[in-house]
């Protein structure tokens, strides 16, 4: 008996050595496992659409409409800057300060409403948010001067910052895993739908000589439908189960926040860096493009509108298609493909020799830009620490938006150093060259960031309700239900043992366990 004991010790020691590779090797293995995966067999889009029940459809439609109308209201300013400047007797540059203010305060809204969502649930913060931004948008149409208008848009920025993160979390937590990629793409393209709707409505209003104020009142009227629908949307089951998990583990929201920062600070930094490049990706290809079409190429208002419709259709198609494919080919793989694809179409997008070729280039550019964006809602929700899925996706998105808010100014400033002659014979800035260089750099940086990222594709949110105290493993609904059964059988002492059992089951800090 005494001779066999050392053999057991040696075998156990060898097993532990194999289970705990070095730090660099473990990082490499984690990256390889999350990056190189055999594609799963896809489920048809029609089958996914048929599989959703009434509650899931209602929840998603409410989230999609909110984000669409949010985008409509935001782009209302960019489409009416000239008219607002004329009525208030100011310059266009002064009016655009309202856009900058809105962008700057979106991260504040993401923090406030995201924290409320993780503390009190997704449903009521979303209802309050959409009511507020619809009222503010209506009030914007009554603004008597620029100062009042900018102040209202500042408050609107806070409300807009809360909409994306909460809507994405509520929708994706309610949908089945196999539908996540497809509906991530559809949800994100609510932004392109809102932009497209704003272009069409503003053209109908302004082309007839009507007041710019009507556009804001129309946006507020559209929001009434979304408000009505949201009152019928139930709370997220994932959030309700998280509350049970916190109660079982006797943890407060503040304790969860400390554990999330302690164990996942590098992931949080990565999320902000990724979203900074993604926002440069979209703003760099969109914000200055209408100016490029009119100032440098001499497009008429109707030609500019048609081109905007074309590239927004490309955005919607790309977002939905690539979002769907990411469920089976991988989130980061699709984002990398989109970064490469957008880079490949820069020459045609910026230097197309004819209006038709340029419109095709614009279509393909937004096809890939928003194709990559279609993956973002699912990706951010999957890599976020589970207890803060309401806060972190939206906060990372809006902080990235804050970093990239000066995209148009950067492009415009650089273009001043490269004057060219327009079709009308005037000296104008070379927006084509500036945008091409800017987007080339952004595509390269985004590709590098994606390659060195992480992935938790098709993560089951119900099995990732909360993490153990070491941040290594998730505690799911099965663990909570088991603990409740044991607590009911054993009484108060059994409840304490059940909590300890959950922690011990997921405690990997001690190899002996």
């Amino acid at each position: 008996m005494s001779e066999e004991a050392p053999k057991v010790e040696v075998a156990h020691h060898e097993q532990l050595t194999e289970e705990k590779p070095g730090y660099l090797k473990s990082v490499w293995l984690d990256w390889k496992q999350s990056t190189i995966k055999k594609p799963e067999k896809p489920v048809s889009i029609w089958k996914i659409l048929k599989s959703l029940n009434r509650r899931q459809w209602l929840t998603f439609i409410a989230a999609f409409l909110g984000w669409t109308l949010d985008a409509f209201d935001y782009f209302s300013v960019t489409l009416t800057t000239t008219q607002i400047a004329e009525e208030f007797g100011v310059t266009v540059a002064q009016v655009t300060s309202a856009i900058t203010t809105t962008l700057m305060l979106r991260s504040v809204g993401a923090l406030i409403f995201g924290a409320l969502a993780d503390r009190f649930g997704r449903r009521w913060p979303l209802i309050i948010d959409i009511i507020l931004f619809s009222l503010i948008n209506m009030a914007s149409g009554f603004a008597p001067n620029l100062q009042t208008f900018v102040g209202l848009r500042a408050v609107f920025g806070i409300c807009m910052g809360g909409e994306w993160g909460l809507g994405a979390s509520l929708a994706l937590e309610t949908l089945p895993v196999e539908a996540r990629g497809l509906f991530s793409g559809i949800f994100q393209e609510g932004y392109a739908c809102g932009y497209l709707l704003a272009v069409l409505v503003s053209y109908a209003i302004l082309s007839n000589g009507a007041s710019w104020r009507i556009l804001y009142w129309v946006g507020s009227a559209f929001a009434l439908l979304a408000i009505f629908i949201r009152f019928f949307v139930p709370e997220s089951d994932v959030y309700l189960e998280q509350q049970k998990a916190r109660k079982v583990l006797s943890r407060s929201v503040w304790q969860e926040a400390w554990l999330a920062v302690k164990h996942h600070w590098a992931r949080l930094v990565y999320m902000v860096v990724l979203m900074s490049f993604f926002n440069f990706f979209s703003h760099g290809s969109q914000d200055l493009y209408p100016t490029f079409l009119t100032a440098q190429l001499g497009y008429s208002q109707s030609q500019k509108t048609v081109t905007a419709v074309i590239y927004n259709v490309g955005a919607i198609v790309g977002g939905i298609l690539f979002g769907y494919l990411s469920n089976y080919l991988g989130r980061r793989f699709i984002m990398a493909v989109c970064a490469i694809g957008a880079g490949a179409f820069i020459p045609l997008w910026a230097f197309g020799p004819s209006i038709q070729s340029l419109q095709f280039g614009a279509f393909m550019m937004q096809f890939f830009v928003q194709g990559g964006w279609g993956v973002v809602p699912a990706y951010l929700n999957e890599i976020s620490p589970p207890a803060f899925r309401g806060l972190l996706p939206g906060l990372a998105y809006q902080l990235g938006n804050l970093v990239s808010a000066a995209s148009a100014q950067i492009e415009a400033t650089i273009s001043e150093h490269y004057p060219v002659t327009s079709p009308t014979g005037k000296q104008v800035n070379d927006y084509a060259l500036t945008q091409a260089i800017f987007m080339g750099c952004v595509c390269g940086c985004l590709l590098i960031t994606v390659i060195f990222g992480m992935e938790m594709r098709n993560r089951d949110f119900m099995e990732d309700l909360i993490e153990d105290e070491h941040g290594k493993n998730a505690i799911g609904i099965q663990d909570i239900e088991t603990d409740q059964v044991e607590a009911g059988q054993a009484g108060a002492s059994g409840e304490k043992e059940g909590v300890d059992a959950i922690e011990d089951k997921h405690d990997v800090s001690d190899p002996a366990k």
Side-chain angles (χ1 to χ4, degrees):
M1 178 71 77
S2 60
E3 294 179 358
E4 294 179 357
K7 294 181 181 179
V8 174
E9 291 292 331
V10 170
H12 182 63
H13 176 73
E14 291 176 351
Q15 183 180 2
L16 293 181
T17 303
E18 293 175 359
E19 291 177 354
K20 290 182 68 66
Y23 176 74
L24 292 177
K25 185 177 180 180
S26 65
V27 171
W28 158 252
L29 292 175
D30 288 343
W31 182 86
K32 182 179 178 182
Q33 183 180 10
S34 69
T35 303
I36 306 173
K37 287 186 177 182
K38 183 180 179 181
E40 299 175 11
K41 185 179 180 181
V43 179
S44 70
I45 293 178
W46 177 243
K47 186 175 180 179
I48 292 174
L49 296 177
K50 286 176 60 180
S51 68
L52 268 60
N53 58 37
R54 182 179 178 182
R55 176 188 178 185
Q56 291 166 336
W57 273 115
L58 183 66
T59 302
F60 179 78
I61 289 172
F64 177 82
L65 282 178
W67 182 229
T68 299
L69 297 175
D70 218 351
F72 179 96
D73 295 344
Y74 170 73
F75 283 110
S76 294
V77 180
T78 66
L79 295 167
T80 57
T81 52
T82 303
Q83 291 76 16
I84 295 172
E86 290 176 356
E87 181 166 334
F88 291 154
V90 297
T91 65
V92 171
Q94 289 175 297
V95 177
T96 56
S97 64
I99 301 174
T100 304
T101 304
T102 298
L103 290 174
M104 290 177 62
L105 290 175
R106 279 165 66 168
S107 55
V108 176
L111 178 62
I112 294 172
F113 284 97
L116 290 173
D118 284 322
R119 177 64 181 86
F120 300 105
R122 324 300 194 213
R123 181 172 179 264
W124 277 106
L126 269 173
I127 291 175
I128 294 171
D129 183 62
I130 195 170
I131 291 174
L132 285 176
F133 84 66
S134 63
L135 290 175
I136 293 165
N137 209 47
M138 177 181 289
S140 298
F142 291 101
N145 52 52
L146 181 63
Q147 291 74 18
T148 304
F149 184 79
V150 172
L152 288 169
R153 301 318 290 181
V155 182
F156 174 80
I158 296 175
C159 298
M160 187 177 185
E163 181 64 33
W164 186 89
L166 272 66
S169 296
L170 179 59
L172 297 180
E173 285 176 349
T174 305
L175 294 169
V177 173
E178 60 270 16
R180 188 177 298 159
L182 172 64
F183 282 89
S184 172
I186 298 174
F187 172 80
Q188 183 59 37
E189 293 323 305
Y191 186 79
C193 289
Y195 185 10
L196 182 59
L197 184 62
V199 167
L200 296 175
V201 174
S202 66
Y203 180 76
I205 293 171
L206 300 179
S207 62
N208 291 317
S211 173
W212 57 269
R213 298 176 184 274
I214 298 175
L215 183 61
Y216 296 83
W217 300 334
V218 170
S220 184
F222 283 159
L224 293 176
L225 176 61
I227 294 172
F228 176 76
I229 292 176
R230 281 195 179 171
F231 275 103
F232 297 95
V233 174
E235 183 57 83
S236 164
D237 288 337
V238 173
Y239 168 77
L240 296 175
E241 294 300 331
Q242 281 177 342
Q243 293 298 94
K244 294 179 183 178
R246 284 194 180 115
K247 184 177 180 181
V248 168
L249 297 177
S250 301
R251 284 190 199 163
S252 67
V253 175
W254 297 111
Q255 289 173 318
E256 283 294 328
W258 163 244
L259 291 173
V261 173
K262 177 182 178 182
H263 298 303
H264 303 299
W265 64 268
R267 188 188 305 182
L268 306 182
V269 172
Y270 165 74
M271 290 169 68
V272 175
V273 172
L274 177 69
M275 295 317 299
S276 296
F277 285 124
F278 253 111
N279 278 286
F280 277 123
F281 200 39
S282 57
H283 287 299
S285 63
Q286 290 177 347
D287 291 2
L288 207 61
Y289 204 69
T291 304
F292 157 65
L293 295 177
T294 54
Q296 185 172 343
L297 299 184
Y299 280 20
S300 65
Q301 183 67 31
S302 60
Q303 287 175 320
K304 185 180 75 170
T305 301
V306 170
T307 304
V309 170
I310 289 172
Y311 64 67
N312 274 289
V313 170
I316 295 169
V317 174
I320 295 173
L321 176 62
F322 284 115
Y324 168 72
L325 292 176
S326 72
N327 240 44
Y328 311 104
L329 300 178
R331 313 288 188 213
R332 285 162 52 235
F333 176 79
I334 290 297
M335 288 189 284
V337 167
C338 289
I340 295 170
F345 276 93
I346 288 175
L348 196 60
W349 167 74
F351 306 107
S354 65
I355 185 171
Q356 292 81 10
S357 61
L358 198 82
Q359 288 173 340
F360 177 70
F363 177 94
M364 293 306 300
M365 172 61 77
Q366 294 306 319
F367 176 78
F368 284 111
V369 168
Q370 293 302 318
W373 267 104
V375 183
V376 167
Y379 181 67
L380 290 186
N381 274 272
E382 287 171 343
I383 68 172
S384 292
F388 289 92
R389 202 172 289 121
L391 170 63
L392 292 181
L395 183 60
Y397 174 21
Q398 302 302 352
L399 286 174
N401 208 20
L402 179 62
V403 172
S404 67
S407 296
Q409 288 179 305
I410 293 172
E411 290 177 325
T413 302
I414 296 175
S415 68
E416 292 176 357
H417 300 285
Y418 302 96
V420 294
T421 303
S422 70
T424 60
K426 294 181 179 180
Q427 287 289 106
V428 297
N429 300 339
D430 193 347
Y431 297 113
L433 178 62
T434 304
Q435 289 181 116
I437 295 173
F438 185 88
M439 284 301 295
C441 295
V442 169
C443 290
C445 292
L446 178 60
L447 179 62
I448 293 170
T449 305
V450 168
I451 288 174
F452 290 99
M454 62 177 301
E455 184 161 341
M456 297 180 179
R457 175 165 50 108
N458 296 335
R459 186 181 191 181
D460 188 342
F461 294 151
M462 274 296 188
E463 294 305 321
D464 287 294
L465 296 173
I466 202 168
E467 290 180 327
D468 62 21
E469 63 181 11
H470 305 288
K472 297 291 185 181
N473 291 283
I475 295 171
I477 189 171
Q478 301 264 350
D479 301 310
I480 303 304
E481 290 176 350
T482 300
D483 175 73
Q484 290 176 335
V485 171
E486 292 176 353
Q489 292 175 345
S493 61
E495 181 177 352
K496 179 63 172 63
E497 292 174 1
V499 173
D500 292 340
I502 292 178
E503 290 283 3
D504 290 343
K505 178 181 177 181
H506 297 280
D507 189 354
V508 296
S509 61
D510 184 358
K513 293 183 180 181

